[in-house]
mmCIF file of all heavy atoms in Angstrom:
data_model
loop_
_atom_site.group_PDB
_atom_site.id
_atom_site.type_symbol
_atom_site.label_atom_id
_atom_site.label_comp_id
_atom_site.label_asym_id
_atom_site.label_seq_id
_atom_site.Cartn_x
_atom_site.Cartn_y
_atom_site.Cartn_z
ATOM 1 N N TYR A 829 -70.850 -5.031 104.621
ATOM 2 C CA TYR A 829 -70.890 -3.607 104.938
ATOM 3 C C TYR A 829 -71.717 -3.437 106.201
ATOM 4 O O TYR A 829 -72.667 -4.200 106.434
ATOM 5 C CB TYR A 829 -71.543 -2.811 103.803
ATOM 6 C CG TYR A 829 -70.707 -2.745 102.553
ATOM 7 C CD1 TYR A 829 -70.790 -3.737 101.590
ATOM 8 C CD2 TYR A 829 -69.844 -1.684 102.337
ATOM 9 C CE1 TYR A 829 -70.030 -3.680 100.432
ATOM 10 C CE2 TYR A 829 -69.077 -1.613 101.186
ATOM 11 C CZ TYR A 829 -69.181 -2.608 100.241
ATOM 12 O OH TYR A 829 -68.420 -2.547 99.096
ATOM 13 N N HIS A 830 -71.368 -2.410 106.970
ATOM 14 C CA HIS A 830 -72.069 -2.145 108.224
ATOM 15 C C HIS A 830 -72.333 -0.646 108.289
ATOM 16 O O HIS A 830 -71.388 0.154 108.296
ATOM 17 C CB HIS A 830 -71.226 -2.617 109.409
ATOM 18 C CG HIS A 830 -70.810 -4.045 109.243
ATOM 19 N ND1 HIS A 830 -71.590 -5.093 109.660
ATOM 20 C CD2 HIS A 830 -69.729 -4.588 108.641
ATOM 21 C CE1 HIS A 830 -70.988 -6.234 109.341
ATOM 22 N NE2 HIS A 830 -69.860 -5.949 108.715
ATOM 23 N N LEU A 831 -73.605 -0.295 108.302
ATOM 24 C CA LEU A 831 -74.037 1.095 108.290
ATOM 25 C C LEU A 831 -74.501 1.477 109.691
ATOM 26 O O LEU A 831 -75.307 0.767 110.300
ATOM 27 C CB LEU A 831 -75.172 1.272 107.286
ATOM 28 C CG LEU A 831 -75.731 2.674 107.099
ATOM 29 C CD1 LEU A 831 -74.659 3.601 106.521
ATOM 30 C CD2 LEU A 831 -76.949 2.628 106.184
ATOM 31 N N ARG A 832 -73.993 2.595 110.199
ATOM 32 C CA ARG A 832 -74.395 3.068 111.530
ATOM 33 C C ARG A 832 -75.814 3.604 111.434
ATOM 34 O O ARG A 832 -76.062 4.690 110.918
ATOM 35 C CB ARG A 832 -73.433 4.167 112.008
ATOM 36 C CG ARG A 832 -73.686 4.590 113.416
ATOM 37 C CD ARG A 832 -73.210 3.497 114.342
ATOM 38 N NE ARG A 832 -73.205 3.951 115.711
ATOM 39 C CZ ARG A 832 -73.414 3.182 116.745
ATOM 40 N NH1 ARG A 832 -73.638 1.892 116.568
ATOM 41 N NH2 ARG A 832 -73.394 3.644 117.957
ATOM 42 N N SER A 833 -76.770 2.790 111.880
ATOM 43 C CA SER A 833 -78.180 3.145 111.807
ATOM 44 C C SER A 833 -78.983 2.147 112.624
ATOM 45 O O SER A 833 -78.546 1.020 112.840
ATOM 46 C CB SER A 833 -78.665 3.122 110.352
ATOM 47 O OG SER A 833 -80.037 3.392 110.281
ATOM 48 N N SER A 834 -80.150 2.568 113.029
ATOM 49 C CA SER A 834 -81.065 1.639 113.707
ATOM 50 C C SER A 834 -82.221 1.252 112.788
ATOM 51 O O SER A 834 -83.190 0.641 113.223
ATOM 52 C CB SER A 834 -81.593 2.271 114.999
ATOM 53 O OG SER A 834 -82.241 3.490 114.704
ATOM 54 N N SER A 835 -82.100 1.595 111.495
ATOM 55 C CA SER A 835 -83.153 1.306 110.526
ATOM 56 C C SER A 835 -82.597 0.550 109.322
ATOM 57 O O SER A 835 -81.701 1.048 108.623
ATOM 58 C CB SER A 835 -83.801 2.610 110.051
ATOM 59 O OG SER A 835 -84.680 2.362 108.977
ATOM 60 N N ALA A 836 -83.150 -0.622 109.064
ATOM 61 C CA ALA A 836 -82.737 -1.399 107.893
ATOM 62 C C ALA A 836 -83.046 -0.642 106.605
ATOM 63 O O ALA A 836 -82.346 -0.804 105.599
ATOM 64 C CB ALA A 836 -83.422 -2.757 107.898
ATOM 65 N N GLN A 837 -84.065 0.208 106.634
ATOM 66 C CA GLN A 837 -84.445 0.974 105.448
ATOM 67 C C GLN A 837 -83.302 1.870 104.968
ATOM 68 O O GLN A 837 -83.152 2.104 103.775
ATOM 69 C CB GLN A 837 -85.700 1.812 105.718
ATOM 70 C CG GLN A 837 -86.249 2.496 104.486
ATOM 71 C CD GLN A 837 -86.689 1.509 103.407
ATOM 72 O OE1 GLN A 837 -87.364 0.516 103.683
ATOM 73 N NE2 GLN A 837 -86.295 1.765 102.157
ATOM 74 N N ASP A 838 -82.479 2.346 105.886
ATOM 75 C CA ASP A 838 -81.339 3.183 105.487
ATOM 76 C C ASP A 838 -80.376 2.407 104.591
ATOM 77 O O ASP A 838 -79.843 2.947 103.619
ATOM 78 C CB ASP A 838 -80.603 3.714 106.717
ATOM 79 C CG ASP A 838 -81.413 4.739 107.480
ATOM 80 O OD1 ASP A 838 -82.361 5.328 106.907
ATOM 81 O OD2 ASP A 838 -81.107 4.949 108.673
ATOM 82 N N ALA A 839 -80.142 1.142 104.885
ATOM 83 C CA ALA A 839 -79.274 0.306 104.052
ATOM 84 C C ALA A 839 -79.952 -0.012 102.720
ATOM 85 O O ALA A 839 -79.300 -0.030 101.671
ATOM 86 C CB ALA A 839 -78.888 -0.976 104.778
ATOM 87 N N VAL A 840 -81.262 -0.246 102.749
ATOM 88 C CA VAL A 840 -82.015 -0.484 101.518
ATOM 89 C C VAL A 840 -81.899 0.746 100.618
ATOM 90 O O VAL A 840 -81.632 0.635 99.416
ATOM 91 C CB VAL A 840 -83.494 -0.815 101.826
ATOM 92 C CG1 VAL A 840 -84.331 -0.823 100.551
ATOM 93 C CG2 VAL A 840 -83.605 -2.140 102.558
ATOM 94 N N ASP A 841 -82.076 1.936 101.209
ATOM 95 C CA ASP A 841 -81.977 3.176 100.441
ATOM 96 C C ASP A 841 -80.580 3.374 99.871
ATOM 97 O O ASP A 841 -80.427 3.827 98.734
ATOM 98 C CB ASP A 841 -82.364 4.374 101.312
ATOM 99 C CG ASP A 841 -83.830 4.368 101.702
ATOM 100 O OD1 ASP A 841 -84.637 3.650 101.063
ATOM 101 O OD2 ASP A 841 -84.178 5.088 102.660
ATOM 102 N N LEU A 842 -79.549 3.025 100.641
ATOM 103 C CA LEU A 842 -78.176 3.143 100.160
ATOM 104 C C LEU A 842 -77.968 2.238 98.945
ATOM 105 O O LEU A 842 -77.392 2.663 97.938
ATOM 106 C CB LEU A 842 -77.190 2.800 101.274
ATOM 107 C CG LEU A 842 -75.727 3.184 101.044
ATOM 108 C CD1 LEU A 842 -74.991 3.237 102.381
ATOM 109 C CD2 LEU A 842 -75.010 2.275 100.122
ATOM 110 N N LEU A 843 -78.430 1.001 99.034
ATOM 111 C CA LEU A 843 -78.303 0.080 97.894
ATOM 112 C C LEU A 843 -79.049 0.615 96.673
ATOM 113 O O LEU A 843 -78.552 0.514 95.541
ATOM 114 C CB LEU A 843 -78.820 -1.309 98.269
ATOM 115 C CG LEU A 843 -77.894 -2.148 99.133
ATOM 116 C CD1 LEU A 843 -78.626 -3.379 99.662
ATOM 117 C CD2 LEU A 843 -76.654 -2.557 98.361
ATOM 118 N N LYS A 844 -80.218 1.212 96.888
ATOM 119 C CA LYS A 844 -80.976 1.781 95.765
ATOM 120 C C LYS A 844 -80.218 2.937 95.131
ATOM 121 O O LYS A 844 -80.143 3.030 93.902
ATOM 122 C CB LYS A 844 -82.354 2.259 96.241
ATOM 123 C CG LYS A 844 -83.337 1.140 96.481
ATOM 124 C CD LYS A 844 -84.683 1.688 96.902
ATOM 125 C CE LYS A 844 -85.660 0.566 97.204
ATOM 126 N NZ LYS A 844 -86.974 1.080 97.633
ATOM 127 N N ARG A 845 -79.646 3.837 95.954
ATOM 128 C CA ARG A 845 -78.869 4.955 95.411
ATOM 129 C C ARG A 845 -77.658 4.448 94.624
ATOM 130 O O ARG A 845 -77.252 5.050 93.633
ATOM 131 C CB ARG A 845 -78.396 5.887 96.535
ATOM 132 C CG ARG A 845 -79.480 6.745 97.125
ATOM 133 C CD ARG A 845 -78.904 7.850 98.014
ATOM 134 N NE ARG A 845 -78.037 7.380 99.075
ATOM 135 C CZ ARG A 845 -78.436 6.976 100.277
ATOM 136 N NH1 ARG A 845 -79.743 6.967 100.575
ATOM 137 N NH2 ARG A 845 -77.560 6.585 101.190
ATOM 138 N N ALA A 846 -77.094 3.336 95.075
ATOM 139 C CA ALA A 846 -75.941 2.734 94.394
ATOM 140 C C ALA A 846 -76.347 1.910 93.174
ATOM 141 O O ALA A 846 -75.492 1.434 92.440
ATOM 142 C CB ALA A 846 -75.171 1.849 95.376
ATOM 143 N N LYS A 847 -77.656 1.746 92.993
ATOM 144 C CA LYS A 847 -78.194 0.948 91.884
ATOM 145 C C LYS A 847 -77.701 -0.505 91.946
ATOM 146 O O LYS A 847 -77.312 -1.097 90.942
ATOM 147 C CB LYS A 847 -77.878 1.584 90.542
ATOM 148 C CG LYS A 847 -78.517 2.951 90.361
ATOM 149 C CD LYS A 847 -78.194 3.543 89.025
ATOM 150 C CE LYS A 847 -78.895 4.828 88.724
ATOM 151 N NZ LYS A 847 -78.852 5.899 89.655
ATOM 152 N N LEU A 848 -77.714 -1.054 93.173
ATOM 153 C CA LEU A 848 -77.298 -2.434 93.406
ATOM 154 C C LEU A 848 -78.398 -3.196 94.124
ATOM 155 O O LEU A 848 -79.259 -2.604 94.779
ATOM 156 C CB LEU A 848 -76.031 -2.466 94.265
ATOM 157 C CG LEU A 848 -74.775 -1.864 93.663
ATOM 158 C CD1 LEU A 848 -73.660 -1.816 94.700
ATOM 159 C CD2 LEU A 848 -74.321 -2.646 92.439
ATOM 160 N N HIS A 849 -78.352 -4.503 94.000
ATOM 161 C CA HIS A 849 -79.236 -5.389 94.753
ATOM 162 C C HIS A 849 -78.409 -6.067 95.828
ATOM 163 O O HIS A 849 -77.198 -6.213 95.688
ATOM 164 C CB HIS A 849 -79.857 -6.442 93.833
ATOM 165 C CG HIS A 849 -80.757 -5.854 92.811
ATOM 166 N ND1 HIS A 849 -80.301 -5.494 91.553
ATOM 167 C CD2 HIS A 849 -82.063 -5.529 92.843
ATOM 168 C CE1 HIS A 849 -81.302 -4.991 90.864
ATOM 169 N NE2 HIS A 849 -82.387 -4.993 91.614
ATOM 170 N N GLY A 850 -79.078 -6.509 96.896
ATOM 171 C CA GLY A 850 -78.334 -7.182 97.948
ATOM 172 C C GLY A 850 -79.223 -7.661 99.068
ATOM 173 O O GLY A 850 -80.448 -7.712 98.930
ATOM 174 N N TYR A 851 -78.604 -7.983 100.159
ATOM 175 C CA TYR A 851 -79.267 -8.528 101.332
ATOM 176 C C TYR A 851 -79.038 -7.583 102.503
ATOM 177 O O TYR A 851 -77.915 -7.133 102.732
ATOM 178 C CB TYR A 851 -78.704 -9.910 101.657
ATOM 179 C CG TYR A 851 -78.783 -10.845 100.475
ATOM 180 C CD1 TYR A 851 -77.698 -10.998 99.618
ATOM 181 C CD2 TYR A 851 -79.946 -11.548 100.214
ATOM 182 C CE1 TYR A 851 -77.773 -11.835 98.514
ATOM 183 C CE2 TYR A 851 -80.034 -12.392 99.113
ATOM 184 C CZ TYR A 851 -78.944 -12.533 98.277
ATOM 185 O OH TYR A 851 -79.027 -13.350 97.191
ATOM 186 N N VAL A 852 -80.092 -7.295 103.242
ATOM 187 C CA VAL A 852 -80.015 -6.403 104.395
ATOM 188 C C VAL A 852 -80.523 -7.165 105.617
ATOM 189 O O VAL A 852 -81.597 -7.764 105.583
ATOM 190 C CB VAL A 852 -80.871 -5.130 104.171
ATOM 191 C CG1 VAL A 852 -80.847 -4.238 105.399
ATOM 192 C CG2 VAL A 852 -80.386 -4.370 102.937
ATOM 193 N N LEU A 853 -79.719 -7.145 106.679
ATOM 194 C CA LEU A 853 -80.093 -7.820 107.921
ATOM 195 C C LEU A 853 -80.737 -6.826 108.881
ATOM 196 O O LEU A 853 -80.594 -5.605 108.727
ATOM 197 C CB LEU A 853 -78.858 -8.439 108.566
ATOM 198 C CG LEU A 853 -78.092 -9.443 107.701
ATOM 199 C CD1 LEU A 853 -76.866 -9.937 108.444
ATOM 200 C CD2 LEU A 853 -78.984 -10.605 107.299
ATOM 201 N N ALA A 854 -81.407 -7.344 109.875
ATOM 202 C CA ALA A 854 -82.041 -6.501 110.887
ATOM 203 C C ALA A 854 -80.979 -5.746 111.684
ATOM 204 O O ALA A 854 -79.879 -6.257 111.905
ATOM 205 C CB ALA A 854 -82.887 -7.360 111.827
ATOM 206 N N PRO A 855 -81.294 -4.523 112.102
ATOM 207 C CA PRO A 855 -80.329 -3.748 112.889
ATOM 208 C C PRO A 855 -79.980 -4.451 114.201
ATOM 209 O O PRO A 855 -80.811 -5.155 114.781
ATOM 210 C CB PRO A 855 -81.064 -2.439 113.187
ATOM 211 C CG PRO A 855 -82.199 -2.393 112.230
ATOM 212 C CD PRO A 855 -82.538 -3.801 111.883
ATOM 213 N N SER A 856 -78.749 -4.232 114.648
ATOM 214 C CA SER A 856 -78.288 -4.788 115.924
ATOM 215 C C SER A 856 -77.276 -3.824 116.526
ATOM 216 O O SER A 856 -76.291 -3.460 115.857
ATOM 217 C CB SER A 856 -77.651 -6.161 115.703
ATOM 218 O OG SER A 856 -77.150 -6.677 116.914
ATOM 219 N N ASN A 857 -77.525 -3.392 117.733
ATOM 220 C CA ASN A 857 -76.604 -2.490 118.451
ATOM 221 C C ASN A 857 -76.263 -1.230 117.665
ATOM 222 O O ASN A 857 -75.126 -0.758 117.696
ATOM 223 C CB ASN A 857 -75.318 -3.222 118.841
ATOM 224 C CG ASN A 857 -75.571 -4.344 119.818
ATOM 225 O OD1 ASN A 857 -76.352 -4.187 120.748
ATOM 226 N ND2 ASN A 857 -74.929 -5.471 119.601
ATOM 227 N N GLY A 858 -77.232 -0.708 116.930
ATOM 228 C CA GLY A 858 -77.023 0.533 116.199
ATOM 229 C C GLY A 858 -76.328 0.385 114.859
ATOM 230 O O GLY A 858 -75.913 1.378 114.269
ATOM 231 N N TRP A 859 -76.213 -0.838 114.361
ATOM 232 C CA TRP A 859 -75.580 -1.103 113.070
ATOM 233 C C TRP A 859 -76.503 -1.958 112.210
ATOM 234 O O TRP A 859 -77.166 -2.864 112.712
ATOM 235 C CB TRP A 859 -74.259 -1.841 113.257
ATOM 236 C CG TRP A 859 -73.203 -1.021 113.907
ATOM 237 C CD1 TRP A 859 -72.942 -0.945 115.250
ATOM 238 C CD2 TRP A 859 -72.286 -0.137 113.275
ATOM 239 N NE1 TRP A 859 -71.905 -0.082 115.479
ATOM 240 C CE2 TRP A 859 -71.473 0.428 114.286
ATOM 241 C CE3 TRP A 859 -72.057 0.230 111.951
ATOM 242 C CZ2 TRP A 859 -70.467 1.344 114.004
ATOM 243 C CZ3 TRP A 859 -71.047 1.132 111.671
ATOM 244 C CH2 TRP A 859 -70.266 1.671 112.694
ATOM 245 N N VAL A 860 -76.499 -1.695 110.914
ATOM 246 C CA VAL A 860 -77.233 -2.517 109.947
ATOM 247 C C VAL A 860 -76.204 -3.155 109.023
ATOM 248 O O VAL A 860 -75.412 -2.461 108.382
ATOM 249 C CB VAL A 860 -78.220 -1.674 109.116
ATOM 250 C CG1 VAL A 860 -78.935 -2.548 108.093
ATOM 251 C CG2 VAL A 860 -79.227 -0.973 110.017
ATOM 252 N N THR A 861 -76.205 -4.467 108.967
ATOM 253 C CA THR A 861 -75.296 -5.210 108.092
ATOM 254 C C THR A 861 -75.986 -5.461 106.762
ATOM 255 O O THR A 861 -77.161 -5.833 106.730
ATOM 256 C CB THR A 861 -74.899 -6.548 108.736
ATOM 257 O OG1 THR A 861 -74.221 -6.272 109.964
ATOM 258 C CG2 THR A 861 -74.008 -7.370 107.829
ATOM 259 N N PHE A 862 -75.242 -5.248 105.671
ATOM 260 C CA PHE A 862 -75.794 -5.573 104.357
ATOM 261 C C PHE A 862 -74.688 -6.064 103.437
ATOM 262 O O PHE A 862 -73.498 -5.798 103.662
ATOM 263 C CB PHE A 862 -76.549 -4.383 103.743
ATOM 264 C CG PHE A 862 -75.698 -3.210 103.352
ATOM 265 C CD1 PHE A 862 -75.266 -3.044 102.048
ATOM 266 C CD2 PHE A 862 -75.355 -2.248 104.286
ATOM 267 C CE1 PHE A 862 -74.486 -1.957 101.688
ATOM 268 C CE2 PHE A 862 -74.592 -1.150 103.936
ATOM 269 C CZ PHE A 862 -74.156 -1.001 102.630
ATOM 270 N N CYS A 863 -75.101 -6.824 102.433
ATOM 271 C CA CYS A 863 -74.166 -7.408 101.471
ATOM 272 C C CYS A 863 -74.733 -7.231 100.072
ATOM 273 O O CYS A 863 -75.790 -7.785 99.763
ATOM 274 C CB CYS A 863 -73.973 -8.895 101.736
ATOM 275 S SG CYS A 863 -73.342 -9.269 103.378
ATOM 276 N N PRO A 864 -74.063 -6.465 99.221
ATOM 277 C CA PRO A 864 -74.488 -6.399 97.823
ATOM 278 C C PRO A 864 -74.301 -7.769 97.164
ATOM 279 O O PRO A 864 -73.421 -8.538 97.564
ATOM 280 C CB PRO A 864 -73.544 -5.372 97.193
ATOM 281 C CG PRO A 864 -72.987 -4.599 98.340
ATOM 282 C CD PRO A 864 -72.956 -5.559 99.500
#
Side-chain angles (χ1 to χ4, degrees):
Y829 290 87
H830 307 273
L831 182 64
R832 186 73 170 149
S833 177
S834 58
S835 171
Q837 187 62 46
D838 290 340
V840 170
D841 293 343
L842 194 160
L843 283 169
K844 284 182 182 179
R845 286 192 305 274
K847 297 181 174 51
L848 295 173
H849 295 92
Y851 305 95
V852 177
L853 302 178
S856 177
N857 296 318
W859 292 91
V860 178
T861 299
F862 68 97
C863 301

